[in-house]
Each structure stands twice: as structure tokens, then as C-alpha cells.
Amino acid sequence: MNRKRTAIAVAATGTAAGLVGLALLASPAGAGGAPPALPPIAAEDLVASVLNAKAPAMSGSVQVRENLGLPIPVLPTGGADNVSARVYSDGAGKGRIALAGRNDETTVVADGETVWIWSSKDRSVRKIEHGQADAQRVPEQLADPTSAAQQLVKAMQAESTVAVDGTARVADRPVYQLLLTPKPTEKTLLREVRVAVDSETRIPLRLEVLANGAAEPALRIGFTEFNPGAQDPNLFRFDVPQGATVKEVKPGEHLDSKATKDLFSQLDAKTVGTGWDTVLVGKVPAQLLEAAASAAGAPAGRPDVTGLLRQFAKPVDGPFGTGWVVTTKVGAALVTQDGRVAIGAVPEQVLIDALSSK
């Protein structure tokens, strides 16, 4: 699968997994006042400096806010309108993040050899060795937030008009405002993506995704506090809590719950189109649909997946057969009765065309 195209499609849909990966990138707007006076810089030079930046040792607080217009929550806090986290990096491959939920906390520690994931909810620990393909789904960007930012900017710039839109303050630091807008040929529901770039480290401190016709960002992710500097080495050690259950994730295993383990490998996903109007299409196994229905509160046994879709999706017909469309401020998803799916930051017709071409 083309990773560049997939990055655009997945980032635009705002899935929970994407939020966790992006949670190290940016922040809500900083304090008011006059914009800082910074030396002028060309857009291409700012992009190059972001792509070449090296994440320093740092600590910070991250906040994620979403206003996607979904009838179901996508943030890993059970429906809260924001996610907060505490982030640490040693600048050399080790990192730590503590993600606070309503009544629990998830802590991820990358110690240089192993990624440890601790959930206080069920007192469980997942252990993933570095270098495993599926371990990459737990973002090792925890230790290097720059790598995630680099992938996003690199994926978007070719199909975007890129400009520097003034300066601002984020997390009490002066930043350049990098603006990416889709070229006129792109068919997308998104209007622009704004990235606030720290003027000193060139680390992105704020990411905002804005949809057409909306004044407020549909997604805002970033640092509310950002402090470069050496960190206590003990932050990057993990000791298994007494009484915790430890599961070692084997090569080829996914990090999802037992009900959905290995199902994602059956999606047979591919991308259709390029740029901002890229669509991810694939086949969702029936077991995965049933697991999603159960997670959403449908009766146990044989959950009524179609009944669940009818509650918040619009029925549609086309060359693909019968299906349901869920539209948000930043994208849409089409699920057919036989389990095919198309997802993208695009209007409904683009999904229909993409699914019909598969």
C-alpha cells in the first residue's frame, strides 16, 4: 500500500488510533497578545527545516480536542471532548507518555529496547520488542515526536499550496504558522491544515484541521506546555506493578483486543485516488463488524450490525449495492451490506466512485 496516500486518508478521518499517534504533535492556541517578531522565512525553507529537525530531550503536556461531528465518540476517554497527556523524551529514542482517561490512565514507556503499555483499568501490561512490525502501531514517536510530524508534512506538501501565515505563540513559545491548503483539483471536505512550528527547535507545537464552512477546528492537537531539556533517566524505566498481568506481543500479532486480533490483516485495504481526496477502501470481516457492534453496546451473541448502522448512518444505493454513509465535518465513511468500506476526507460521491472502482 502507498504509505503516503494512506497517511493522508487515515489522518483525515480522525480515528482514535490516529489521535494517539498525533497526540505528540501540537497544542491549543497560546496566550493572547501581539504576534512575536521573527525573521522572515520562505515556506519551502520552513518545510525543509521541519523535515530535518531532530527532537530534543523534553517534557510537556499535550491536549487533544475534537469536534468531528460524529454521533459516537472517537477519543480514548469514553466521550470526553478532550484528551490530556504528559509526554517525556530523552531525545535519543526513549520516551514516556501518560494518557489520562475519565477513571483510569494508560502509560506507555519506550526504554530503548522494549515498549511497555500499562493500563490501570484492568491492571494489564503489554510488552512489545522494538523492531516488530506491529509494534509500530504503538507510536515509537513517543520518543521522537518529530518523526510523526515529518511524515504528515511530507505526505501533504505535494498536493498542497504551502505558505507561511504569520507568527504566533503556542505553549508560551514563538512559532511560525505553516499553512497547507488543498490545490483546486482536490475534492475534499477539508479547507486547510495549520501547523505551528517552534521557531527554535522547528518542532511542530500545534496541529489544526479545519473543514469547509467551519470557523472552529474540527481537530486540534498539541502542547500546552513544552520544555526542552535533559530528563530524569528513571522516567524511561518500567517496573511491572505488583499483581499486573503481562502479555508479550508476538511478531505478527496486533495490539487490539482478543475479539479483533488478527482481523485487520484481513482487510485487503488499498487506496484509490491521490492527494487530499485519497480514499481507503477494503473489506471488513463480519467478525470485526460484530465486535464493533458489541463494543457500541449491541446485544451479545449475534449483534445486529445493520441495526446499529441505521441508528446514525444514511442508507445509500449504488453500483456497489446497498450500504450506509456516515458523514462528519472532516470526512465520510461508506459501509456496504456485505462489509466493504470506503473512508476519506471527501464527499459521499467520491466514496461511491472509489468503492465502485475496486
Side-chain angles (χ1 to χ4, degrees):
M1 184 186 302
N2 186 307
R3 291 188 178 183
K4 174 181 175 183
R5 298 180 185 176
T6 302
I8 296 173
V10 173
T13 60
T15 61
L19 288 172
V20 173
L22 290 172
L24 301 173
L25 299 187
S27 123
L38 296 174
I41 186 171
E44 57 270 25
D45 294 334
L46 183 57
V47 168
S49 68
V50 169
L51 295 180
N52 292 321
K54 303 297 182 184
M58 52 75 64
S59 66
S61 294
V62 171
Q63 193 171 64
V64 183
R65 293 184 179 274
E66 63 92 2
N67 184 22
L68 301 177
L70 279 170
I72 54 175
V74 299
L75 295 179
T77 54
D81 66 352
N82 68 81
V83 173
S84 60
R86 188 73 185 167
V87 182
Y88 307 87
S89 171
D90 75 342
K94 298 180 182 180
R96 182 186 189 97
I97 181 171
L99 182 66
R102 282 183 170 176
N103 302 307
D104 60 356
E105 182 176 282
T106 299
T107 301
V108 182
V109 177
D111 65 13
E113 296 181 355
T114 305
V115 176
W116 304 86
I117 308 172
W118 156 251
S119 172
S120 67
K121 184 175 183 179
D122 58 4
R123 297 191 60 79
S124 66
V125 176
R126 283 174 287 177
K127 176 183 177 184
I128 308 103
E129 298 301 322
H130 278 272
Q132 292 184 19
D134 286 326
Q136 304 309 314
R137 298 184 59 187
V138 176
E140 295 188 12
Q141 291 92 343
L142 293 173
D144 183 8
T146 302
S147 62
Q150 289 171 333
Q151 292 170 28
L152 178 65
V153 174
K154 187 175 181 179
M156 301 290 277
Q157 64 173 330
E159 289 81 14
S160 305
T161 299
V162 184
V164 179
D165 190 25
T167 65
R169 286 192 178 275
V170 170
D172 201 30
R173 294 180 65 86
V175 299
Y176 291 102
Q177 299 267 43
L178 185 63
L179 178 65
L180 296 90
T181 55
K183 292 182 177 179
T185 53
E186 300 295 300
K187 300 182 289 290
T188 177
L189 297 177
L190 301 181
R191 184 174 83 242
E192 62 190 42
V193 170
R194 288 181 171 269
V195 183
V197 181
D198 185 72
S199 60
E200 179 185 351
T201 66
R202 299 302 165 90
I203 300 298
L205 297 183
R206 179 175 66 205
L207 174 70
E208 293 178 311
V209 179
L210 289 93
N212 290 321
E216 292 296 317
L219 184 64
R220 174 184 280 169
I221 311 170
F223 288 104
T224 55
E225 179 187 336
F226 181 80
N227 301 306
Q231 302 298 309
D232 182 351
N234 288 327
L235 288 168
F236 313 113
R237 291 181 48 192
F238 182 80
D239 297 318
V240 177
Q242 186 174 4
T245 301
V246 180
K247 173 179 173 51
E248 185 168 352
V249 180
K250 305 294 184 181
E253 283 188 328
H254 289 282
L255 304 178
D256 309 284
S257 65
K258 184 177 180 181
T260 60
K261 183 176 68 176
D262 293 330
L263 292 175
F264 288 97
S265 62
Q266 304 172 35
L267 286 177
D268 187 28
K270 73 170 187 178
T271 55
V272 176
T274 60
W276 294 63
D277 52 330
T278 298
V279 176
L280 184 71
V281 297
K283 174 80 172 181
V284 182
Q287 305 99 304
L288 183 56
L289 285 174
E290 292 180 1
S294 296
R302 295 192 58 82
D304 181 6
V305 177
T306 59
L308 177 67
L309 287 169
R310 290 191 188 102
Q311 293 179 27
F312 59 85
K314 181 184 76 173
V316 292
D317 294 298
F320 53 84
T322 300
W324 297 266
V325 169
V326 179
T327 302
T328 76
K329 295 178 180 179
V330 297
L334 190 159
V335 181
T336 68
Q337 193 166 27
D338 61 1
R340 287 174 291 159
V341 64
I343 304 171
V346 296
E348 175 184 321
Q349 187 58 49
V350 178
L351 295 182
I352 293 174
D353 293 344
L355 200 59
S356 301
S357 69
K358 189 175 186 294

